[in-house]
Amino acid sequence: MNQGMRTQVGIVGAGPAGLVLSHLLHLEGIDSVVLEAHTREYVQERVRAGVLEQNTVDLFTRTGLGARMQREGLVHHGIELRFQGRGHRIDFRELTGRAITIYAQGDVVKDLIHARLAAGGTVLFEAEVVSLHDLESSHSSSRKPSIRFRKDGTLMELTCDFIAGCDGFHGVCRPSIPRGVLTAYERTYPFGWLGILAEVPPAFEELVYCYHDRGFALLSMRSLRLSRLYLQCSPGDLIENWPDARIWQELQTRSACQGWSLTGGPIIQKGIAGMRSFVVEPMQYGRLFLAGDAAHIVPPTGAKGLNLAVADVRVLASAMADFYRSGDRAPCDHYSETCLRRVWKIQRFSWWMTSMLHRFDSDNAFDRRRQLGDLDYVTSSRAASQSLAENYVGLPTD
Ligand code: RFL
Ligand code: PHB
């Protein structure tokens, strides 16, 4: 090993979880180093989430990250649920007084990296973490937790007080916890999402969630010139099976509605993603704390993954601030318990939206009728639509 570095909090991963954590810690006067395996361009350009709930927007605004989001983000006060050829609006403003903002995850990441570097923060790109050490060391012991990573072909070590595992579902932090400590709760779904970015103005002014016998479709957007559209597909489907004309045809069929038609255009990106629900408990081990997709995955139907990652690191930053300010370890000790209460509510919501809106090949005619009953209820009962709305705009933070 060639070189050693030292910081208070070593953060693995420069996705939304790692970068927001580093930003919040900085505002508390706590030093951190972010280690990211990929390049800066890669993490900024990756096409992922697009919906920020009100809590996330408020946090970004309050902590000085909001300028470009306020200028370029699209504020939406509702969504549409479309089934049996008719659209039904869920009015967030009327039901909750709150809203969502359409702003790409890549832009969130870009703003965060800019803010961290402008404040003199350290974010090391192309720094791949290979192993974690001494996770169980106590605060009084001379041994500190450390992170080994490879940068420019050299193995280096970062020693810290705490490690934040913000390295996503396929990262190294969760597998570094000894066998038997974690319990995983998981459900995979028998379908995937084919997602496209198209250079065409959004077909509708708000997001449209479509239930159809041929499967789910979602009409979303990134800007007033760029549409983001999704189709339920087979889990092992190949993108080669989906020429552009077939994608537009299928989107048109599944979103069909009286007096309305979808206009096609150039598709500039396409990909297929699997769908799963996943949680590990607890979300911490010794001085390692897991946050975001490293600890849990939700199917994207509720638009919650990024927002949940932000909610975790908010709890973590505040717990670490308490520790450094007063030596109080209780909030860190209770990190997992605090986060999991929110995590399971969001898991429930994401699973419910997914179950209500997708075609399950194992379902029979009864199950299809029951789904329609659910959709009818949620669009006709104020109590039911308010429940959807309060979850979609974001449950209150504790
Ligand atoms: P990320 O974003 O995966 O970041 C983890 C980072 O860790 C790095 N890494 C390592 N770095 C160093 N050493 C190693 N050994 C490393 N291993 C991994 C990775 O390179 C990466 O940069 O996790 P984070 O920060 O927890 O953020 C989670 C969100 O990215 C995710 O939940 C959302 O994108 C989910 N999601 C959505 N969330 C929303 O809130 N609203 C949405 O509208 C929404 N839509 C979506 C989505 C996810 C989707 N896909 C593709 C899964 C739509 C889709 C299609
Ligand atoms: C998106 O715009 O990428 C998006 C929107 C809503 C979802 C999932 C993804 O539920």
Side-chain angles (χ1 to χ4, degrees):
M1 192 122 33
N2 274 337
Q3 294 179 46
M5 295 166 67
R6 150 115 202 99
T7 189
Q8 287 174 294
V9 183
I11 300 177
V12 187
L19 291 165
V20 172
L21 177 63
S22 178
H23 176 69
L24 296 179
L25 291 174
H26 165 70
L27 298 179
E28 297 283 356
I30 300 165
D31 191 44
S32 69
V33 168
V34 182
L35 302 170
E36 167 58 49
H38 288 101
T39 63
R40 180 173 178 177
E41 293 68 34
Y42 177 89
V43 295
Q44 292 183 165
E45 300 311 323
R46 200 161 36 184
V47 181
R48 309 237 356 228
V51 176
L52 304 185
E53 64 181 36
Q54 181 89 51
N55 296 318
T56 305
V57 170
D58 291 347
L59 177 76
F60 287 178
T61 306
R62 215 173 39 245
T63 63
L65 292 168
R68 194 160 71 98
M69 178 184 68
Q70 308 290 352
R71 275 198 317 275
E72 298 176 18
L74 304 173
V75 177
H76 285 193
H77 296 281
I79 55 167
E80 180 172 307
L81 298 182
R82 196 175 280 188
F83 54 98
Q84 295 186 306
R86 286 191 52 206
H88 306 258
R89 182 160 190 263
I90 307 287
D91 186 333
F92 296 156
R93 187 173 10 210
E94 200 250 323
L95 292 163
T96 67
R98 286 149 67 86
I100 54 161
T101 297
I102 308 300
Y103 193 62
Q105 178 166 330
D107 288 316
V108 169
V109 165
K110 211 178 277 177
D111 295 348
L112 279 160
I113 292 172
H114 181 264
R116 286 310 298 123
L117 298 181
T122 308
V123 184
L124 298 181
F125 294 99
E126 297 179 84
E128 189 190 358
V129 170
V130 290
S131 56
L132 309 185
H133 303 269
D134 295 312
L135 300 176
E136 289 164 279
S137 50
S138 73
H139 286 288
S140 51
S141 84
S142 58
R143 291 202 69 79
K144 297 250 185 202
S146 65
I147 305 175
R148 289 198 191 143
F149 62 100
R150 207 175 295 284
K151 173 97 186 120
D152 301 326
T154 306
L155 193 59
M156 298 171 75
E157 189 166 58
L158 174 66
T159 307
C160 35
D161 300 331
F162 298 107
I163 299 175
C166 302
D167 50 349
F169 185 67
H170 300 287
V172 294
C173 292
R174 193 178 66 249
S176 304
I177 297 175
R179 263 175 167 286
V181 172
L182 300 180
T183 305
Y185 300 88
E186 184 164 20
R187 161 164 300 193
T188 52
Y189 297 87
F191 40 76
W193 273 20
L194 184 162
I196 64 163
L197 261 187
E199 277 176 334
V200 56
F204 199 73
E205 59 267 28
E206 291 179 336
L207 270 56
V208 185
Y209 287 79
C210 310
Y211 173 91
H212 193 275
D213 272 343
R214 293 178 62 86
F216 171 73
L218 170 60
L219 314 180
S220 179
M221 64 193 75
R222 285 293 174 271
S223 69
L224 296 177
R225 289 186 309 277
L226 209 52
S227 294
R228 176 82 170 139
L229 304 139
Y230 296 98
L231 284 170
Q232 175 183 352
C233 62
S234 307
D237 216 339
L238 299 173
I239 205 71
E240 297 80 72
N241 296 335
W242 289 90
D244 294 6
R246 179 179 174 208
I247 294 175
W248 286 116
Q249 175 62 54
E250 198 60 35
L251 283 165
Q252 173 70 56
T253 305
R254 296 188 195 181
S255 64
C257 189
Q258 283 158 7
W260 186 86
S261 79
L262 185 68
T263 314
I267 295 179
I268 55 172
Q269 193 265 349
K270 5 175 164 172
I272 291 179
M275 306 262 286
R276 73 172 81 228
S277 301
F278 174 86
V279 181
V280 284
E281 292 190 10
M283 290 168 56
Q284 65 197 89
Y285 174 71
R287 289 207 252 167
L288 168 65
F289 297 86
L290 302 176
D293 281 11
H296 40 68
I297 296 285
V298 285
T301 329
K304 286 289 161 225
L306 184 160
N307 295 293
L308 193 52
V310 171
D312 285 349
V313 296
R314 233 173 133 148
V315 174
L316 188 53
S318 156
M320 287 177 174
D322 282 342
F323 172 78
Y324 283 112
R325 207 179 296 123
S326 64
D328 182 3
R329 290 181 201 169
C332 282
D333 291 344
H334 293 129
Y335 165 74
S336 180
E337 197 183 312
T338 308
C339 288
L340 284 167
R341 286 195 62 206
R342 183 179 195 85
V343 166
W344 280 110
K345 281 183 266 193
I346 304 299
Q347 287 289 352
R348 182 209 70 82
F349 175 67
S350 304
W351 162 84
W352 170 72
M353 287 283 279
T354 304
S355 308
M356 177 173 68
L357 285 160
H358 288 75
R359 182 194 163 88
F360 290 73
D361 285 339
S362 56
D363 277 359
N364 62 18
F366 172 86
D367 298 307
R368 304 288 292 164
R369 284 280 196 279
R370 180 183 45 75
Q371 284 178 313
L372 286 167
D374 213 354
L375 283 160
D376 189 9
Y377 177 53
V378 88
T379 51
S380 60
S381 149
R382 183 180 171 85
S385 42
Q386 197 165 31
S387 165
L388 189 159
E390 74 163 349
N391 277 279
Y392 203 101
V393 299
L395 294 172
T397 51
D398 292 329

